[in-house]
């Protein structure tokens, strides 16, 4: 059953069963820049606990990480439901290792919101996978080198018939393996729904700028393969990759959207602080949710207003692609993949 929201200038449709979503402006109105009445999606870190303790983790997640109290989550999801939020993306840390994870999934779905989550593959069990099948729209597994854990994790998930994606951080080093997977996909990838490529961001306890994607033969080869298609799975990208897609592929720009932070999505940390984007946590600009409410934060908090202004008035406003790219990432300009340097 489609969930429909109608506003003076546009309408939205969302199908909780399939994940179909559409945002369409009404005749005579431009494409909406942001949803003034609140976000359509909230990215929520319910824990910063993780047993992998990867050196490159931008959240510095570890076994010392804290869980969001269930009562905090209950308050948060209640406000989200009042705003008409369609989906939440549960992350961490490793979210499924939150002690109240099954209850969090149930509470979210019974509030009329579809939960989705990304796991590192650890801590999955029958109770969690049963709850995932009952309450979630989809789940994703993060792909880390050497990737040898993925086949077994995916097989255990697929036994439950779950819609499963791979989240793959695309860097100057991991792009070689990505090319191999696109050229000749391993058999164990054939049953997944999609690989979603995430542009590497230079943030975390161990920052390695050499991992940044750059103009190269490998980058061109990667996007050439993406353009050819014909994979046994879908291929998607985060909005942080929009500059590369515009420059290196021939896909119509109508299929792309620029950064949705503070426009249609927001992030809330396990400490109950709200940000336009999860990559801003180290900035210290988070707004305390316990001392306000999501709608007021969304509409009036300076960090959200300033983020929107950066997207409305990017520094590269003379570029021919500005109407689609909007300057790319407003936090990390170094990740943008523009072919032509602006004067």
């Amino acid at each position: 059953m489609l969930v429909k929201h109608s506003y003076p200038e546009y309408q939205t449709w969302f199908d909780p069963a399939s994940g179909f979503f559409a945002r369409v402006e009404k005749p005579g109105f431009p494409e909406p820049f942001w949803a003034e009445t609140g976000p359509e999606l909230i990215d929520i870190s319910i824990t910063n606990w993780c047993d992998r303790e990867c050196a490159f983790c931008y959240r510095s997640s570890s076994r010392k990480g804290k869980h969001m109290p269930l009562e905090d989550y209950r308050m948060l999801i209640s406000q989200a439901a009042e705003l008409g939020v369609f989906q939440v993306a549960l992350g961490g840390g490793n979210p499924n290792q939150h002690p109240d994870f099954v209850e969090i999934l149930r509470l979210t779905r019974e509030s009329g919101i579809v939960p989705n989550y990304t796991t590192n593959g650890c801590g999955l069990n029958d109770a969690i996978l049963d709850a995932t099948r009952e309450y979630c729209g989809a789940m994703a597994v993060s792909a880390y080198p050497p990737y040898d854990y993925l086949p077994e994790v995916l097989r255990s998930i697929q036994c439950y018939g779950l819609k499963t994606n791979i989240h793959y951080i695309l860097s100057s080093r991991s792009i070689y393996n990505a090319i191999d997977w696109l050229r000749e996909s391993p058999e164990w990838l054939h049953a997944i729904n999609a690989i979603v490529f995430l542009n590497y961001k230079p943030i975390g306890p161990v920052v390695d700028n050499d991992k940044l994607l750059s103009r190269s033969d490998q980058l061109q080869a990667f996007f050439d393969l993406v353009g050819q298609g014909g994979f046994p799975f879908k291929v998607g990208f985060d909005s942080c990759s929009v500059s590369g897609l515009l420059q290196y592929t021939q896909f119509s720009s109508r299929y792309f959207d620029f950064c949705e932070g503070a426009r249609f999505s927001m992030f809330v940390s396990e400490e109950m602080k709200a940000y336009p984007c999860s990559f801003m946590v180290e900035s210290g600009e988070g707004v305390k949710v316990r001392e306000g409410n999501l709608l007021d934060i969304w509409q009036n908090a300076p960090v959200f207003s300033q983020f929107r202004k950066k997207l409305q008035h990017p520094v590269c406003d003379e570029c021919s692609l500005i109407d689609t790219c909007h300057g790319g990432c407003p936090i990390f300009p170094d990740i943008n993949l523009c072919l032509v340097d602006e004067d």
Side-chain angles (χ1 to χ4, degrees), residues 5 7 42 46 66 80 91 125 135 145 162 177 193 227 232 246 261 277:
H5 291 169
Y7 306 98
I42 303 181
I46 58 173
K66 296 180 180 180
N125 55 41
Y135 302 121
L162 299 170
N177 182 76
N193 176 61
L246 287 168
C277 171

Side-chain angles (χ1 to χ4, degrees), residues 267-320:
F267 171 75
V268 179
S269 73
E270 67 281 352
E271 296 180 334
M272 291 292 281
K273 292 183 180 180
Y275 305 79
C277 171
S278 62
F279 291 97
M280 296 179 69
V281 172
E282 289 190 353
S283 72
E285 297 178 273
V287 185
K288 295 179 180 179
V289 178
R290 294 190 192 96
E291 297 178 4
N293 65 76
L294 289 180
L295 181 58
D296 182 58
I297 292 170
W298 177 257
Q299 293 179 335
N300 302 311
V303 66
F304 280 80
S305 301
Q306 291 164 7
F307 199 91
R308 285 189 282 267
K309 287 180 180 178
K310 287 182 180 179
L311 292 171
Q312 285 178 309
H313 306 288
V315 295
C316 51
D317 57 359
E318 295 183 0
C319 175
S320 61

Side-chain angles (χ1 to χ4, degrees), residues 30 119 131 177 182 188 236 249 251 274-275 337:
T119 178
N177 182 76
L182 294 181
W188 49 268
T249 72
F251 296 123
Y275 305 79
L337 298 171

Side-chain angles (χ1 to χ4, degrees), residues 96-167:
N96 57 277
Q97 289 180 299
H98 189 292
D100 298 307
F101 187 65
V102 171
E103 175 63 11
I104 284 171
L105 295 184
R106 184 197 65 79
L107 179 63
T108 305
R109 195 64 184 236
E110 291 183 358
S111 298
I113 298 173
V114 176
N116 307 289
Y117 69 95
T118 302
T119 178
N120 66 16
C122 298
L124 295 171
N125 55 41
D126 291 339
I128 287 171
L129 292 174
D130 275 331
T132 302
R133 181 169 54 190
E134 182 173 359
Y135 302 121
C136 290
M139 65 181 296
V141 181
S142 296
Y144 309 108
Y147 312 110
D148 52 2
Y149 65 96
L150 279 172
E152 182 178 353
V153 171
L154 291 174
R155 279 193 293 269
S156 67
I157 294 171
Q158 287 156 4
C159 287
Y160 285 79
L162 299 170
K163 184 177 181 181
T164 310
N165 300 321
I166 293 289
H167 282 181

Side-chain angles (χ1 to χ4, degrees), residues 47-54 57 59-67 93-94:
T47 182
N48 201 30
W49 193 96
C50 182
D51 51 1
R52 280 189 179 271
E53 299 185 327
C54 299
C57 178
R59 294 296 320 282
S60 303
S61 299
S62 69
R63 290 180 175 86
K64 297 179 181 179
K66 296 180 180 180
H67 303 301
N94 193 36

